[in-house]
Amino acid sequence: MFRSLSTTVRLFLLLAVVSGLVYPLAVLGLAHLLFPAKSQGSLLVRRGRVVGSALIGQEIIRPRYFWSRPSATTPVPYDADASNASNTAPTNPRLVADIRRRLARLEHADPGAHGPVPIDLVTTSGSGLDPDISLAAAAYQIPRVARAGGLPVRTLERLVSAHTERPPLPFLGPPVVAVLPLDLALHRLYEKEQKGRR
Amino acid sequence: MTTALFLLFSILALTFLLALPLGLYAARVFAGERVWTSPLLAPLERAVYRLAGVDPANEMDWKKYATSLLLFNFAGFLFLYLILRLQPLLPLDPLHLGAVPPGSAFNTAVSFVTNTNWQDYAGETTLGPLAQMLGLTVQNFLSAAVGVTLLLPLVRGFVRHETDRLGNYWVDLTRTVLYILLPLSLVFALVLVAQGVPDTLTALVRAHLVFPFHEGAHLVRHQAIALGPVASQEAIKILGNNGGGFFNVNSAHPFENPTALTNALETVAMLLLPATLLVAFARLARAPGTAVALVIATLLFFIPLALLSAHEELSPNPRIAVLSVAQHPSPRLAGGGNLVGVDDRIGAVGCALFATAATATSTGAANCAYDSMMPLAGGVNLFLMQLGEVVFGGIGTGLASLLAFAVFAVFLGGLMVGRTPEFLGKKIETFEMKMVSLSILVMPLVVLVGTAVAVLSPAGRASVGNPGPHGFSEILYALTSPGNNNGSAFGGLDAATRFYNILTGVAMLLGRYWVYLPLLAMAGSLARKRTVPVGAGTLPTHTLTFVVLLAGSILLIGALNFLPALVLGPGADQALLMTRAAHAALVRRAAP
């Protein structure tokens, strides 16, 4: 009995070291060596400061920029230290109430918009950190951004298609638009224009 | 639906394409033979045996094998519990997250040791890098390997004859970890990093927002981004059918599952080892025909249920249809359908197929909010688990349960023609049937009694997050998942209470050890028997008749036990969705 107890403990500790230290540290080292930016979280740096991650969405609700999807994280939306979903069931009356509220907010920002609103713009994502919107959600916002930012629709369409990501095979997943990189590019465009005017 | 068909069949094709060579490799590993990785790993293996004092040639009978298994699991439980409780005293906790409370630490330790990986904690706010690596990653490897050690003696019980030796527990465990789980995880982890999954010792990065925003009266200028050694844990979490996420939202998190490609690969990786073990079984038991029959029976459940789930997720929610919202399936709408709780890059189809794979196997990972799935799609999750985790099932445990059902099926066949049933050359007698019945019937008992207890007690009802029949589904799910060592959840239910910590903890323990220890006892009895030659009264197990008999038995037991509960939960939920919608449509038509 004592022998098998000691075998148990020794074997457990050995396998724990192999799988809990050697393995993760090997992955860590190789990841760092082979994919230096991706292993650190695909961080976006602007003027020497980290401004976000290309993979993590941010709350953006200014009329001159493309909005992200609603987020269910607390205490603030897009809290990347507290990922969460709303977990609202399809039959929960709260779902419809939430969607109505978000529809009203979109209408308030752009009273001229008509046609049905793309579903991803009025529902929260699975992570609360969804970095993307659908092609329809981007197209829906172009008239508003064009008007508020004073940019031609053609320019915005080109910008959106430059930030559209398509999976390597079409059936793997839907094409999406990465919001934060798109808005940062838009931001640079606005800055350039301002400088030109001065 | 075309997308769903393409995605489903490419996932299955890739799974079996990889499982064939891997299964043959695994069979050689389990048989103790030399393989092409031996030059590198054999010295490590020998060193482990020497340091641990294991004599690899010393085989055990079923009792010794089972005792070793239990001792090893208890050591793992104690180790993980202590790491969680003592987190503040240990190094590598840069955010000073503090000790995990006792209820949660008990639940989590049981959960990871039993390969359930039910998450009652939020990873990013509870566990530092050390607890993630030395705590959770270790159990992700070991609990998957323990699953294999529940299967191997059973296979040997059928193959060997007139012996009580079923193998050396320590050797089976060590070889599974070193030769199969470690190399696969290393490769998969690097593939994940290449796609954007981070792997770093930095625990948190503060980003300065270019677009600060107001939340109430408060101006938010920063975004705290949680990071860590994600890729190494993600790889074994998926491959080992564990499913406990690095982050709270599991594989829905962009850092765990950043692209459509990783989503498909993670779905394949969940199915890979269960499929590999089916191939290894064909080789070890020298029964390729029977293995093919088992695969067909598995797919007979998996394919229709996966397509049903995808179909439901792509159906527009009638409650939303009355609003000015576009939700019809289209690539421009991120695939359309039910996007509540689904990230755009994954889409409704990606969510449905991942969910099916996660609940068919014992992974229980989630790439979307299962609580927000359409009622029948959530019902598919529940049903797959309630079939007893035999459709692919857990690593080792899935095939072990499937073999138990196969024994049950030949027993039924034997009753019909009045002969003593045989399976793989072994006579199935009273003791075997007792053990099989115990193994098959304990799970429904745990799940249904547990659900009844939770529904009847105020503490059980207080945690519910959605009204109506869906609330009942949440409770049913919270017992079904731990009772089957799956670990997925309807996240709306607050399971981080003392009540659910204890209830689900007990369900996990019963669902693991009460289900599989009887099968070990059966293996001991089978190994002692003589192998009987195939005779006129033998029911061949590579025929369509056997497939139908097997699938029928699985369906019969699963449906008989759980149909009433399923009707009360997802069934009533779906009816509610349809009738209210019909009502709303009538109101609109009546109003001019």
Side-chain angles (χ1 to χ4, degrees):
Chain A
M1 192 63 202
F2 174 76
R3 239 189 74 102
S4 58
L5 214 59
S6 121
T7 302
T8 305
V9 171
R10 278 188 285 168
L11 189 69
F12 177 81
L13 290 178
L14 283 166
L15 291 180
V17 166
V18 171
S19 58
L21 287 176
V22 177
Y23 158 76
L25 293 177
V27 173
L28 196 80
L30 287 169
H32 205 82
L33 213 68
L34 299 173
F35 311 99
K38 283 177 169 161
S39 66
Q40 299 306 306
S42 311
L43 299 175
L44 299 170
V45 179
R46 199 169 164 271
R47 296 189 188 132
R49 287 210 302 193
V50 173
V51 296
S53 161
L55 295 176
I56 302 288
Q58 288 182 0
E59 172 80 346
I60 302 169
I61 38 164
R62 301 179 180 193
R64 298 188 339 138
Y65 296 91
F66 289 89
W67 293 10
S68 312
R69 298 181 62 182
S71 162
T73 65
T74 48
V76 294
Y78 286 93
D79 186 340
D81 191 27
S83 60
N84 216 347
S86 71
N87 286 310
T88 323
T91 44
N92 192 335
R94 210 178 68 211
L95 177 65
V96 173
D98 285 345
I99 291 178
R100 279 187 200 282
R101 197 165 35 76
R102 293 171 195 140
L103 283 170
R105 192 164 77 157
L106 280 164
E107 211 207 322
H108 179 74
D110 187 11
H114 39 122
V117 178
I119 182 154
D120 59 325
L121 268 189
V122 290
T123 50
T124 53
S125 59
S127 58
L129 306 173
D130 196 342
D132 305 309
I133 52 176
S134 65
L135 300 187
Y140 181 85
Q141 300 189 59
I142 285 181
R144 184 198 71 222
V145 176
R147 197 151 11 87
L151 283 177
V153 167
R154 293 277 314 168
T155 312
L156 292 173
E157 281 171 351
R158 265 202 303 273
L159 209 58
V160 165
S161 85
H163 288 88
T164 300
E165 289 159 9
R166 290 170 198 281
L169 293 165
F171 57 84
L172 288 181
V176 289
V177 179
V179 185
L180 183 59
L182 169 67
D183 278 340
L184 289 176
L186 195 56
H187 190 63
R188 276 194 296 276
L189 214 60
Y190 287 141
E191 282 181 331
K192 218 168 25 185
E193 247 183 30
Q194 227 166 21
K195 242 180 243 162
R197 237 179 276 146
R198 243 182 255 148
Chain B
M1 273 311 274
T2 350
T3 321
L5 278 170
F6 265 111
L7 188 56
L8 174 62
F9 285 103
S10 28
I11 283 169
L12 286 175
L14 185 58
T15 302
F16 281 99
L17 211 65
L18 293 172
L20 274 174
L22 208 57
L24 298 178
Y25 168 84
R28 294 179 65 97
V29 169
F30 299 145
E33 295 167 23
R34 266 185 82 79
V35 283
W36 64 271
T37 46
S38 293
L40 202 67
L41 295 172
L44 183 62
E45 185 192 356
R46 278 195 298 271
V48 168
Y49 295 153
R50 205 172 38 247
L51 289 171
V54 171
D55 174 10
N58 185 10
E59 293 220 348
M60 306 170 174
D61 63 6
W62 84 265
K63 282 180 188 150
K64 182 89 174 65
Y65 199 96
T67 321
S68 309
L69 186 146
L70 289 175
L71 269 179
F72 188 77
N73 279 221
F74 187 68
F77 166 81
L78 221 55
F79 185 74
L80 179 51
Y81 182 82
L82 288 177
I83 284 192
L84 296 174
R85 295 291 294 140
L86 300 178
Q87 183 164 245
L89 306 178
L90 299 170
L92 259 181
D93 176 23
L95 302 176
H96 305 290
L97 294 168
V100 181
S104 179
F106 161 76
N107 191 274
T108 306
V110 168
S111 164
F112 275 76
V113 168
T114 57
N115 196 251
T116 312
N117 313 84
W118 169 264
Q119 258 176 283
D120 107 309
Y121 59 90
E124 58 266 57
T125 48
T126 315
L127 305 169
L130 185 89
Q132 290 272 13
M133 295 194 312
L134 207 52
L136 302 191
T137 304
V138 166
Q139 281 308 324
N140 280 348
F141 276 98
L142 299 186
S143 68
V146 167
V148 172
T149 64
L150 287 166
L151 171 70
L152 289 181
L154 188 57
V155 175
R156 291 181 188 130
F158 283 112
V159 176
R160 296 181 178 184
H161 47 90
E162 293 138 288
T163 175
D164 63 349
R165 303 286 109 173
L166 287 175
N168 182 312
Y169 183 78
W170 311 118
V171 172
D172 288 344
L173 186 80
T174 309
R175 285 181 74 88
T176 305
V177 172
L178 294 185
Y179 286 84
I180 296 173
L181 298 177
L182 273 174
L184 270 180
S185 304
L186 189 68
V187 172
F188 191 42
L190 290 176
V191 171
L192 291 174
V193 181
Q195 284 289 307
V197 177
D199 203 279
T200 168
L201 288 180
T202 312
L204 202 71
V205 168
R206 248 162 81 91
H208 302 262
L209 296 185
V210 175
F211 314 105
F213 62 95
H214 281 279
E215 180 64 25
H218 177 63
L219 182 66
V220 183
R221 294 171 172 281
H222 298 104
Q223 184 184 38
I225 301 175
L227 283 163
V230 185
S232 54
Q233 217 210 91
E234 186 70 17
I236 185 62
K237 159 199 147 187
I238 295 284
L239 280 167
N241 274 202
N242 292 287
F246 195 95
F247 299 102
N248 183 39
V249 294
N250 212 285
S251 282
H253 198 292
F255 277 161
E256 287 198 27
N257 192 4
T259 61
L261 183 63
T262 55
N263 191 55
L265 289 178
E266 287 184 13
T267 313
V268 169
M270 286 192 274
L271 302 172
L272 183 59
L273 282 177
T276 295
L277 288 175
L278 279 164
V279 177
F281 165 77
R283 182 63 165 263
L284 289 173
R286 290 182 285 277
T290 307
V292 170
L294 296 179
V295 170
I296 292 174
T298 297
L299 294 179
L300 226 46
F301 286 99
F302 186 78
I303 293 174
L305 286 171
L307 292 177
L308 171 65
S309 180
H311 175 265
E312 288 305 308
E313 282 297 285
L314 284 175
S315 314
N317 182 338
R319 301 263 175 109
I320 300 178
V322 298
L323 306 169
S324 176
V325 173
Q327 55 172 339
H328 279 282
S330 143
R332 287 187 55 78
L333 266 181
N338 178 21
L339 288 180
V340 182
V342 182
D343 279 28
D344 275 355
R345 67 185 180 286
I346 287 161
V349 168
C351 157
L353 298 188
F354 191 102
T356 315
T359 47
T361 67
S362 80
T363 315
N367 69 347
C368 56
Y370 290 167
D371 215 352
S372 300
M373 289 179 93
M374 299 300 275
L376 292 187
V380 166
N381 284 7
L382 275 167
F383 188 55
L384 276 166
M385 291 186 277
Q386 289 164 348
L387 290 176
E389 290 291 5
V390 292
V391 179
F392 288 108
I395 309 262
T397 53
L399 183 51
S401 292
L402 190 58
L403 289 173
F405 269 103
V407 168
F408 180 71
V410 295
F411 173 72
L412 278 188
L415 282 185
M416 287 177 201
V417 295
R419 300 254 190 163
T420 309
E422 302 154 18
F423 184 61
L424 298 174
K426 288 295 171 77
K427 276 200 158 56
I428 305 301
E429 289 163 304
T430 321
F431 181 74
E432 285 76 32
M433 280 320 294
K434 272 187 191 158
M435 293 302 116
V436 163
S437 311
L438 206 56
S439 168
I440 291 177
L441 293 176
V442 161
M443 182 277 288
L445 196 72
V446 170
V447 171
L448 291 172
V449 171
T451 305
V453 168
V455 168
L456 290 175
S457 60
R461 291 194 302 269
S463 287
V464 165
N466 279 292
H470 198 87
F472 174 72
S473 295
E474 286 183 340
I475 295 180
L476 180 63
Y477 207 114
L479 271 306
T480 300
S481 168
N484 284 288
N485 293 161
N486 181 274
S488 66
F490 273 0
L493 183 101
D494 175 18
T497 62
R498 185 56 64 91
F499 177 80
Y500 278 106
N501 275 338
I502 293 172
L503 191 64
T504 59
V506 170
M508 288 187 265
L509 288 172
L510 295 178
R512 183 83 164 175
Y513 302 108
W514 268 36
V515 170
Y516 297 107
L517 290 182
L519 293 185
L520 277 184
M522 178 173 88
S525 147
L526 285 172
R528 275 193 298 273
K529 293 179 192 236
R530 233 182 302 160
T531 308
V532 290
V534 176
T538 307
L539 172 70
T541 51
H542 57 270
T543 58
L544 194 64
T545 317
F546 175 70
V547 171
V548 172
L549 206 56
L550 174 60
S553 319
I554 296 171
L555 191 64
L556 191 74
I557 303 263
L560 280 182
N561 281 320
F562 290 104
L563 213 54
L566 285 171
V567 169
L568 283 176
D573 209 18
Q574 176 74 13
L576 194 67
L577 198 64
M578 306 315 291
T579 47
R580 287 262 179 93
H583 178 72
L586 278 177
V587 169
R588 255 184 309 133
R589 218 173 294 156

